[in-house]
Amino acid sequence: QSVLTQPPSVSAAPGQKVTISCSGSSSNIGNNYVSWYQQLPGTAPKLLIYENNKRPSGIPDRFSGSKSGTSATLGITGLQTGDEADYYCGTWDSSLSAGWVFGGGTKLTVL
Amino acid sequence: QVTLRESGPALVKPTQTLTLTCTFSGFSLSTSGMCVSWIRQPPGKALEWLALIDWDDDKYYSTSLKTRLTISKDTSKNQVVLTMTNMDPVDTATYYCARILSYGDRIDYWGQGTLVTVSS
């Protein structure tokens, strides 16, 4: 049972847009930055979005992030078959049991 | 160029203690804001954060696993070591070490991961 809640799967056709939600609480998303990670099959996760909505160098602007209250959203436009992957949200949890928390991951299928 | 590499046994027996080493380059763990963390992923399952050590030697552990985990660093060797006691088959997973900036900012670099299987 992950601390952050993500939909298990989303799908869309090539060229379309998709959003992935991530829901948490005031101790994590509500008071800390959210980051997003892309994990292609058989590889380590890769940073996609940090500080809620910033992209590291080399990440195309097809990927975007936003945060509102205790929820965050990853958006992907112009879907490509190469975007098929698992996507995870993550953040620091500032509760008494402080530490990093992740969502359960969302499998993106590009139909 | 930041790199991290995990090393340790691929197979451990139930009840044994697992020791994993993360050897990194391209940054110093004595620099303010730098942290190294361990994260694992059972086959076909989600990421699970395990432990973090920061530049000031502060340590944080997963609540559910804290009695079994110990994280430490050797700044001169650019290494972070994780030990996990009383291993069980449910601990079979790929174990990643990763660099974290300023606790909650981002996990910006990941190692390639090492698969640890727990079986007799």
Side-chain angles (χ1 to χ4, degrees), chain B residues 29-113:
Chain B
L29 198 40
S30 60
T31 300
S32 179
M34 291 295 173
C35 310
V36 170
S37 204
W38 285 93
I39 296 153
R40 72 178 179 180
Q41 185 173 38
K45 296 189 177 182
L47 301 171
E48 179 185 17
W49 176 78
L50 299 177
L52 177 149
I53 189 165
D54 73 10
W55 72 97
D56 207 24
D57 209 35
D58 289 326
K59 300 159 189 174
Y60 297 84
Y61 296 101
S62 162
T63 302
S64 60
L65 293 167
K66 67 182 305 178
T67 60
R68 300 173 53 204
L69 297 173
T70 303
I71 192 169
S72 62
K73 65 182 172 81
D74 185 330
T75 305
S76 65
K77 292 183 179 179
N78 281 351
Q79 290 182 333
V80 170
V81 175
L82 180 77
T83 62
M84 180 180 292
T85 61
N86 194 24
M87 293 293 285
D88 183 273
V90 300
D91 296 313
T92 294
T94 296
Y95 288 75
Y96 296 100
C97 68
R99 186 179 86 162
I100 294 180
L101 295 182
S102 303
Y103 289 105
D105 192 278
R106 74 197 89 158
I107 305 174
D108 60 349
Y109 290 95
W110 299 69
Q112 64 184 17

Side-chain angles (χ1 to χ4, degrees), chain A residues 1-2 7-9 39-43 85-88 103-107, chain B residues 40-48 89-96 115-117:
Chain A
Q1 190 86 3
S2 301
S9 63
Q39 187 176 32
L40 297 169
T43 69
D86 294 321
Y87 292 83
Y88 294 89
T106 299
K107 169 67 179 175
Chain B
R40 72 178 179 180
Q41 185 173 38
K45 296 189 177 182
L47 301 171
E48 179 185 17
V90 300
D91 296 313
T92 294
T94 296
Y95 288 75
Y96 296 100
L115 175 62
V116 177
T117 300

Side-chain angles (χ1 to χ4, degrees), chain A residues 70-86:
Chain A
T70 59
S71 293
T73 301
L74 172 70
I76 311 173
T77 60
L79 277 173
Q80 303 174 0
T81 55
D83 296 332
E84 277 208 350
D86 294 321

Side-chain angles (χ1 to χ4, degrees), chain A residues 9-99:
Chain A
S9 63
V10 295
S11 62
Q16 296 299 303
K17 172 184 175 178
V18 70
T19 60
I20 298 173
S21 61
C22 175
S23 178
S25 68
S26 59
S27 67
N28 43 66
I29 291 179
N31 282 286
N32 292 292
Y33 288 127
V34 175
S35 48
W36 290 89
Y37 304 88
Q38 178 192 60
Q39 187 176 32
L40 297 169
T43 69
K46 173 180 134 180
L47 178 64
L48 208 57
I49 296 288
Y50 68 99
E51 291 182 6
N52 304 329
N53 55 19
K54 298 179 181 175
R55 285 175 287 106
S57 173
I59 301 299
D61 59 7
R62 300 188 299 107
F63 295 90
S64 64
S66 64
K67 184 183 109 169
S68 178
T70 59
S71 293
T73 301
L74 172 70
I76 311 173
T77 60
L79 277 173
Q80 303 174 0
T81 55
D83 296 332
E84 277 208 350
D86 294 321
Y87 292 83
Y88 294 89
C89 57
T91 186
W92 181 257
D93 192 299
S94 309
S95 64
L96 286 177
S97 50

